[in-house]
Amino acid sequence: MQLISTPEQDQALHLLQTVFGYPAFRSQQGQIVDHVVKGGDALVLMPTGGGKSLCYQIPALIRHGVGIVVSPLIALMQDQVDALAEVGVRAAFLNSTQSFDEALKIERMMREGEIDLVYIAPERLMTQRCLELLSVTPIALFAIDEAHCVSQWGHDFRPEYIKLSVLHERFPDVPRIALTATADQQTRDEIIHRLQLENAMQFVSSFDRPNIRYQIVEKANGRKQLLDFINAQHSGDAGIVYCLSRKKVEETAEFLNENGITALPYHAGMEQSERARNQARFLREDGIVMTATIAFGMGIDKPDVRFVAHLDLPKSIEGYYQETGRAGRDGASANAWMAYGLQDVVQQRRMIDESEANETFKRVQGVKLDAMLGLCETLNCRRVHILDYFGQSSQACGNCDTCLSPPSSFDGTVAAQKILSTIYRVDQRFAAGHVIDVLRGIDTERVKQWRHDQLSTYGIGSDKSEAEWRAILRQMIALGLVSVDYENYSALKLTGRSRAVLRSEITIQLRQYKKAEKAVKHKRQSAKDFSEANLSESEQAIFERLRWWRVETAKAHNTAAFIIFHDSTLREIAKAKPRSMEDLRGVTGVGAKKLESYGAEIVKLIAEFL
Ligand code: ADP
Ligand code: ZN
């Protein structure tokens, strides 16, 4: 523990407080800033919402020259620059959306050192013109955001990222800081290797997001369950709903709109301009639900997304965690909700099976999917399971579905044997629906046609509902005890592991099927209190008034509401009821520039109210 701070550290803290209006650094931010200010290279692994941006923004302000931020997210650069302008930092971007004249102006400002931070897309950075510009620009640092884009195994792979090693070769004395929210060791190694960060200091933060409540429910009618969930817990909130296909994205958005929820679609098949418009509305307006494929969301730093829902199973825990991590970046409580069923397992396995990729890639995908299924079927704390996957040990969290209402398990050996022998007796030629019909003794046309009512297993499973059998079968597929033959009408087949179950050599423990519960209304009620100031009725009224002021102000400035102030800041103001600029100065999120821009208005507004 360092007891005496250096002048640079004092300066960093001073900037944090006066420019950004935050009282203290979070987790490792202070050390990272200190390291980069001194000229060191850094690799920063921090979960979404952890506060990565300040780790390069503050050093860029302290060090001489311009901070160059490499980011693949052109669509977000405008908001990032706007947010910095709001706190009085001189920032700009260079990308294909601006005119030649604008670019020229920014290039001139860079050369003269009249700007603190410039965001550049990697393909732009690699042009001869840009590299020459950098060679005559005083550079404070290079920040490589979304650094996992160099990983060929990840789903965000960008070939241009690999070329970024050129920065080190051309500018060996400029510190580089690579940042990502992807935690696995393989990605980390690839970043170090490809960006030549062998000598960089690694800062690995805890990946826990304690304010997010994880919930994975049995899928019955996914859309209807989603609607109940939103109505019960998130009316008026901003959220993201992930679906696998474009068609389902569109249908889900339509369904939500028909039911009174403002939802917008987003997928790669839409016109670029329409996509951009929907994204801008989602960012700027309050309370919009985005239904999207995974094409949506990388780098979306809207702080007040209150829920992320999955109507289809993600391909990996990495993907799931990245997507759910977009909820609750402001630290207030948020929900990650997913509906999951037999069909999801079948569908994901089929997609791997039918992909054109080589065998190694398929094997990696298979392992990742199995890990994801393990999370869905776990009887233990979801958070412990996730963090363990990222190599971090932890204790039962009290803020996930399995902690809040522990699932019961049962010895499923006999049930599994019934399924396996039925699959065997129908010659491994039929899909799940028929196998379950035979088990339950249902007298369908197909059963009659194949005379399956004559089988010894006909009706031996009449004690369980179809949904229960589906849940058991789903777990058996997840466990590799049954496989699905996609080339033959999704027929169920035995596997190498089935035999041991049939011979009772092993027993299997299964999760008890739980009928979908009616979602209960407990808006904002959470096992732990996450930084939401509890407002009294009159404070709530002030808060609403402030929100309304914020909408108007954001419109007038042509920017997003959260760029003016976060909800958490407005809540704190409503609670503090500042009567003077001095009172307002201490509120988290109110820096010097914002105080100057909005302080007087807010103090007046509060005075009117009181
Ligand atoms: P990341 O890029 O890691 O996802 P951001 O840099 O966007 O996260 O930060 C997430 C949120 O946390 C932002 O709204 C930011 O203003 C806020 N934040 C970051 N650092 C601090 C801090 N030290 N104190 C208070 N709020 C912070
Ligand atoms: Zn838990």
Side-chain angles (χ1 to χ4, degrees), residues 48 155-156 181-182 209 212 214 239-244 282 292-300 305-329 334-338 348 372 390:
T48 312
H155 51 273
D156 294 326
T182 303
R209 297 287 309 282
I212 298 180
Y214 300 97
I240 306 174
V241 177
Y242 282 109
C243 306
L244 202 57
F282 174 72
T293 60
I294 55 168
F296 177 75
M298 209 214 328
I300 287 293
V305 175
R306 293 270 67 85
F307 70 91
V308 169
H310 282 90
L311 279 184
D312 293 301
L313 183 72
K315 291 180 173 50
S316 65
I317 294 184
E318 286 94 331
Y320 171 74
Y321 205 55
Q322 205 171 58
E323 285 142 31
T324 54
R326 290 168 188 144
R329 291 168 80 122
N335 272 304
W337 180 94
M338 176 161 108
Q348 286 289 359
M372 185 65 219
F390 293 125

Side-chain angles (χ1 to χ4, degrees), residues 261-331:
I261 291 164
T262 313
L264 299 172
Y266 187 106
H267 59 70
M270 287 162 58
E271 286 270 347
Q272 168 66 31
S273 61
E274 198 188 349
R275 244 189 307 164
R277 197 164 55 236
N278 287 354
Q279 173 165 317
R281 279 194 63 191
F282 174 72
L283 288 175
R284 291 179 180 208
E285 294 176 25
D286 271 342
I288 289 198
V289 173
M290 191 64 119
T291 40
T293 60
I294 55 168
F296 177 75
M298 209 214 328
I300 287 293
D301 45 12
K302 185 175 169 64
D304 55 356
V305 175
R306 293 270 67 85
F307 70 91
V308 169
H310 282 90
L311 279 184
D312 293 301
L313 183 72
K315 291 180 173 50
S316 65
I317 294 184
E318 286 94 331
Y320 171 74
Y321 205 55
Q322 205 171 58
E323 285 142 31
T324 54
R326 290 168 188 144
R329 291 168 80 122
D330 53 10

Side-chain angles (χ1 to χ4, degrees), residues 450-470:
W450 291 89
R451 306 189 44 166
H452 283 162
D453 48 0
Q454 306 296 309
L455 298 176
S456 59
T457 58
Y458 182 73
I460 56 169
S462 55
D463 57 324
K464 290 186 172 51
S465 69
E466 186 190 339
E468 283 172 275
W469 281 115
R470 282 190 171 265

Side-chain angles (χ1 to χ4, degrees), residues 374-437:
L375 172 65
C376 294
E377 304 293 1
T378 185
L379 294 162
N380 301 319
C381 171
R382 306 269 189 212
R383 193 179 314 270
V384 166
H385 195 101
I386 294 169
L387 293 176
D388 180 59
Y389 181 77
F390 293 125
Q392 194 182 320
S393 58
S394 62
Q395 309 235 310
C397 72
N399 194 26
C400 72
D401 56 353
T402 57
C403 280
L404 291 168
S405 69
S408 42
S409 66
F410 69 103
D411 183 338
T413 314
V414 172
Q417 287 169 338
K418 288 182 181 175
I419 289 190
L420 292 173
S421 32
T422 306
I423 293 172
Y424 177 74
R425 281 178 216 285
V426 300
D427 294 327
Q428 309 186 57
R429 288 175 56 198
F430 291 84
H434 183 71
V435 169
I436 292 173
D437 283 343

